[in-house]
Structures are given as structure tokens and as C-alpha cells.
Amino acid sequence: MKKLILILSCVVVFSCSNNDDSSNCNFLFNTGVNLVVNTNLPQFAQLQFNDNRVFVSGYGNNGIWLYRANSSTLYAWDAADPSHEPLSCSTLTYSGIGDIVTCGCDDGNEYSLATGYGFEGNTQPCTLQPYRVESTGNNTYVVLN
């Protein structure tokens, strides 16, 4: 009996971890996304060129940002600020500078569409929620989660 108690105690002690990370970056829902992007169509034509972005509403939490990093890389990010709960002001909008998108709420968090990382001064160290992008050929991509 003592061995059983000792073994169970060891399992409990070693399976617990000390997580000092108190940030809460779990505000966004894991929504189903299945978006077909054809860069030959006018609404996605900007994505044929590097360093361009397109916002697509109606998908994800508050829409999706698509970003063409280079000729072989297309990123898809949820357009909701991951640092707080989805609100009408938390949809990320283009800042007009490079690849930076900004939250419209009072915190004004900023994120890079090229990396998904937030900038110093954001309220929490959250990153943008990524979506998987698969090329199906002929300038067509499928965005999934």
C-alpha cells in the first residue's frame, strides 16, 4: 500500500508544472474556415505581388487578413486582436504602414502580417491566430484551420 501511495504521489508531483505565464491569449474561438482564394480574381489580384494584403470579411472571428510575403509564401491570419475578447473595435485594420495592422480599441495593439507577432507596448504578448494556406495550383489557394 505504501508503494502505491508513493507511486501516485510521484505521478502527481512530476505531472504538475509551474507555469508563471499569466497572460491570457485564449480569447479567440476556433472557428471553421474553408476559403478558396484565386489571385486571378479582382478581389484577390493584389496578392499576385509581394508585400500586399487583402482583408476578407465573413470568415474566422472578425475576418481574415491575407498577406503575400514573397512569390512562394501567402499567410492567412485571423483579423481579430488575440489580446482581448472579440468586440466590434477589435477587428484589425491596415495601419497604412508596411505590414502593420492595428486594433481599433483603446489599447491600439499592433501586429505584423509578415510574422504574426505583436509589437512592444501591446497589452499582452499574444500572436495573431494563423490559418493554414495550401496551394492548389493555377494561382489558387485554400485557407483552412
Side-chain angles (χ1 to χ4, degrees):
M1 185 68 169
K2 287 183 180 180
K3 286 184 180 181
L4 181 61
I5 293 173
L6 180 62
I7 290 172
L8 289 175
S9 297
C10 288
V11 169
V12 169
V13 168
F14 291 115
S15 65
C16 295
S17 66
N18 182 9
N19 187 355
D20 292 332
D21 184 12
S22 62
S23 64
N24 185 355
C25 294
N26 299 317
F27 292 113
L28 303 183
F29 299 109
N30 189 16
T31 60
V33 172
N34 188 357
L35 168 66
V36 176
V37 176
N38 184 337
T39 59
N40 293 324
L41 297 175
Q43 64 265 35
F44 300 116
Q46 289 185 41
L47 296 175
Q48 292 179 7
F49 307 102
N50 295 348
D51 298 320
N52 277 322
R53 71 225 43 85
V54 171
F55 175 77
V56 181
S57 63
Y59 291 90
N61 288 278
N62 283 2
I64 293 178
W65 273 105
L66 301 169
Y67 178 74
R68 169 66 74 184
N70 55 50
S71 62
S72 62
T73 306
L74 181 69
Y75 292 116
W77 308 103
D78 198 290
D81 185 342
S83 295
H84 52 75
E85 66 278 354
L87 301 167
S88 59
C89 65
S90 68
T91 300
L92 299 169
T93 58
Y94 181 55
S95 69
I97 302 169
D99 65 337
I100 300 172
V101 289
T102 306
C103 174
C105 299
D106 291 338
D107 54 19
N109 292 330
E110 294 182 326
Y111 299 88
S112 166
L113 291 175
T115 65
Y117 289 109
F119 292 99
E120 189 174 326
N122 281 7
T123 55
Q124 294 192 41
C126 304
T127 60
L128 294 177
Q129 179 176 313
Y131 292 108
R132 187 177 59 199
V133 179
E134 296 178 1
S135 174
T136 59
N138 233 9
N139 293 328
T140 305
Y141 301 86
V142 177
V143 177
L144 306 160
N145 63 333

